[in-house]
Amino acid sequence: MKRKFSDRANWRRILRKSYSCLTIDNEEFKGLVTFYHIYELRDPLWKDYNGKRLCLADRGYLWMQHFPKGEQFVVTTMFDDKGKVVQWYIDICKTQGLTDQQVPWFDDLYLDVVVLPTGEVFLLDEDELEEAIEQGEVSQKDAAMARKTAERVLSSIRSGRFRYFTLSLKHRKSLAVRPGGNQGS
């Protein structure tokens, strides 16, 4: 199981970025929301889905993550330099937490759900979960929980009840620190 950090401090592709984290506690959402603005990078990040090539990271892109309290998933919304959604990436995780420096993290259970703005939905990395079970990195109990969580997320998406699509658009508009603000390295 791999621990992933929202500030992506070790992401060598990125040369200049800004990062911020907000705590939200209202009826609509309880948890943490992070904003990762990309200003300069070595090379854009590309991904292929069924022959469709998408740029996931480039200059001006924003990665916003929702860490919902009490859930076993984290939602990353990737916006391009025009503010349009490139994809929603839902990591299934065992647990979430905060470092001493208040950086959110999650323990990744390999399964991922990707949703494109076209409505296409993909369940990824089932093979990686199986390999992690075989190598003793993930227990059968955790794997069963990961599968159950992924199915719950997929069911919520299919029924139109997955609120993170609209929530991400709303939070980007109302909460995101604008590019050019606090620029880290």
Side-chain angles (χ1 to χ4, degrees):
M1 199 171 333
K2 191 185 295 185
R3 181 158 290 178
K4 296 187 175 178
F5 298 88
S6 63
D7 67 352
R8 293 176 167 72
N10 295 324
W11 198 9
R12 290 191 168 92
R13 175 185 305 269
I14 305 301
L15 301 173
R16 194 165 56 93
K17 50 93 174 155
S18 67
Y19 171 80
S20 59
C21 178
L22 298 172
T23 300
I24 299 176
D25 187 359
N26 58 37
E27 286 182 23
E28 190 175 55
F29 179 77
K30 292 181 185 342
L32 302 169
V33 180
T34 65
F35 300 91
Y36 188 95
H37 288 274
I38 301 169
Y39 297 108
E40 221 175 301
L41 68 170
R42 294 184 203 291
D43 299 301
L45 174 63
W46 295 87
K47 176 74 176 172
D48 287 315
Y49 294 111
N50 287 350
K52 188 180 297 183
R53 192 164 192 239
L54 296 177
C55 183
L56 303 181
D58 205 348
R59 286 179 188 219
Y61 278 47
L62 167 66
W63 285 23
M64 179 174 56
Q65 284 189 297
H66 283 85
F67 288 77
K69 185 175 183 176
E71 290 288 1
Q72 291 175 300
F73 61 83
V74 172
V75 180
T76 304
T77 309
M78 297 169 192
F79 295 95
D80 69 14
D81 58 342
K82 308 271 190 285
K84 293 186 178 173
V85 173
V86 176
Q87 73 175 8
W88 289 276
Y89 197 97
I90 302 129
D91 286 281
I92 307 302
C93 62
K94 180 174 180 173
T95 189
Q96 306 173 20
L98 277 173
T99 67
D100 292 342
Q101 295 77 28
Q102 303 304 297
V103 174
W105 55 262
F106 63 92
D107 288 334
D108 189 15
L109 281 174
Y110 301 96
L111 289 182
D112 303 302
V113 176
V114 172
V115 182
L116 303 181
T118 60
E120 294 169 274
V121 179
F122 303 91
L123 177 62
L124 304 178
D125 302 331
E126 292 174 281
D127 56 333
E128 289 182 21
L129 177 59
E130 290 305 316
E131 191 176 306
I133 295 166
E134 290 170 16
Q135 294 178 354
E137 294 174 27
V138 173
S139 70
Q140 289 289 347
K141 181 181 175 185
D142 287 342
M145 182 275 299
R147 289 186 192 102
K148 184 176 178 182
T149 301
E151 189 47 51
R152 184 170 50 88
V153 167
L154 287 165
S155 175
S156 179
I157 290 167
R158 285 187 211 109
S159 67
R161 292 180 291 113
F162 194 72
R163 60 194 177 101
Y164 295 93
F165 301 141
T166 53
L167 201 56
S168 64
L169 299 175
K170 181 179 180 180
H171 283 169
R172 182 189 173 275
K173 199 174 201 178
S174 65
L175 302 174
V177 176
R178 298 289 171 228
N182 178 21
Q183 296 181 9
S185 54

